């Protein structure tokens, strides 16, 4: 039960950090010239999203420590046991470093305001802190035990940061389209098309990084067919691949149906709900992929596990 709670906390930590960096990316890259900086109402929901995500990031990071309860055994009932784990083990030191970063994220997110150029420093600092938080997580995962440590960590970090940028921007995609569909936004349909096309191109590049880095990472832990089809690690990896196919399916539908209609300058009010449902489904698949990745991080790599071959050949 405690392991499940810790897993949920790690899952939520990943989602919260992704939302923070993805919201910032979408705002500054995709919506950078839509003239929204002076409208406080247009940026209020983004500030709330950042602040809530920052607070939840810290709270769920603290909760993720519960995963060590079983490993500590009887020492888990004493303060000295937890202090010894946090300051005397590699995993504990990584946890406290990430906790320190998570604490800094909260006030930085509070100071971050998209409608004021004076707070650009706070936005940049927020992005740096989240990248640092995500990067430090690789030090406590399977990559930390690789023979080529530097290459494994860089590969792991690039994969996780690309996932965070892509997944974290999806809520802002939905907020932006929802505002326009309800005439709460003042920019034109052509500007909305430009913004969403920017994200489409960006998401394509991020997806290439995700697939390539994910394939290389899987190759480090899977050596045979038995590792892929006969271990829990392999089964989780195949399930994650199936979820990725679902993501790509919905993304392709948006690219072929919604964006061309938006570009045609016609009234697209009728297809906005369907587009939002598609992105909602894509985000659901993406969150499930993150949950699968959390399970993979807590599972013995296939190359170090005993394969149970269940096929008749």
């Amino acid at each position: 039960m405690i392991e499940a709670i810790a897993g949920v906390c790690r899952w939520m930590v990943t989602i919260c950090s992704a939302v923070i960096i993805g919201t910032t990316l979408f705002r500054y890259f995709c919506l950078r010239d839509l003239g929204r900086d002076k409208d406080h109402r247009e940026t209020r929901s983004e500030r709330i999203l950042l602040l809530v995500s920052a607070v939840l990031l810290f709270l769920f990071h603290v909760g993720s420590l519960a995963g060590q309860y079983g490993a500590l055994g009887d020492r888990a009932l004493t303060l000295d046991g937890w202090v010894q784990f946090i300051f005397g083990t590699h995993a504990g030191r990584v946890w406290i470093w990430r906790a320190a970063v998570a604490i800094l994220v909260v006030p930085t997110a509070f100071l971050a305001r998209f409608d004021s150029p004076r707070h650009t420093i706070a936005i940049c600092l927020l992005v740096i802190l989240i990248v640092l938080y995500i990067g430090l997580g690789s030090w406590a995962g399977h990559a930390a035990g690789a023979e080529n440590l530097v290459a494994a960590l860089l590969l792991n970090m690039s994969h996780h940061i690309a996932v965070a940028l892509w997944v974290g921007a999806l809520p802002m995609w939905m907020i932006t389209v929802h505002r326009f569909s309800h005439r709460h936004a003042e920019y034109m349909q052509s500007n909305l098309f430009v913004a969403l096309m920017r994200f489409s191109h960006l998401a394509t590049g991020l997806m290439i990084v995700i697939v390539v880095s994910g394939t290389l990472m899987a190759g480090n832990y899977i050596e045979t067919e038995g590792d892929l089809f006969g271990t829990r690690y392999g089964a989780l990896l195949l399930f994650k691949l199936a979820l990725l196919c679902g993501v790509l399916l919905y993304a392709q539908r948006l690219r072929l149906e919604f964006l061309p209609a938006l570009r045609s300058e016609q009234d697209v009010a009728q297809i906005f709900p369907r587009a939002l449902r598609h992105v909602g489904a894509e985000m659901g698949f993406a969150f499930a992929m993150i949950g699968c990745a959390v399970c993979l991080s807590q599972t013995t790599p296939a190359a170090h596990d005993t394969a149970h071959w269940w096929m008749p050949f």
Side-chain angles (χ1 to χ4, degrees), residues 248-295:
L248 295 177
L249 175 63
Y250 280 103
Q252 185 67 4
R253 286 183 178 179
L254 284 170
R255 193 178 183 91
L256 295 179
E257 298 176 9
F258 178 65
L259 292 180
L262 196 62
R263 185 178 186 179
S264 66
E265 296 288 347
Q266 299 176 357
D267 186 8
V268 292
Q270 295 182 351
I271 67 172
F272 274 125
R274 185 171 59 182
L276 289 172
R277 286 195 299 269
H278 281 185
V279 175
E282 181 181 349
M283 191 162 59
F285 278 113
F287 287 172
M289 285 178 61
I290 291 176
C292 193
V294 170
C295 293

Side-chain angles (χ1 to χ4, degrees), residues 73-148:
D74 295 337
R75 293 181 300 163
L77 302 178
T78 64
L79 180 61
D80 290 340
W82 287 106
V83 172
Q84 184 178 359
F85 166 77
I86 293 175
F87 296 100
T89 65
H90 173 73
R93 286 190 291 269
V94 171
W95 183 89
I96 198 67
W97 292 340
R98 298 185 84 197
V101 174
I103 291 174
L104 293 175
V105 165
V106 177
T108 307
F110 180 77
L111 295 174
R113 293 178 58 185
F114 292 110
D115 56 346
S116 174
R118 294 177 300 175
H119 292 77
T120 303
I121 295 177
I123 294 293
C124 295
L125 180 59
L126 182 63
V127 172
I128 292 173
L129 288 173
I130 290 299
V131 170
L132 181 61
Y133 183 86
I134 296 173
L136 284 172
S138 301
W139 283 86
H142 296 319
E147 295 181 1
N148 191 344

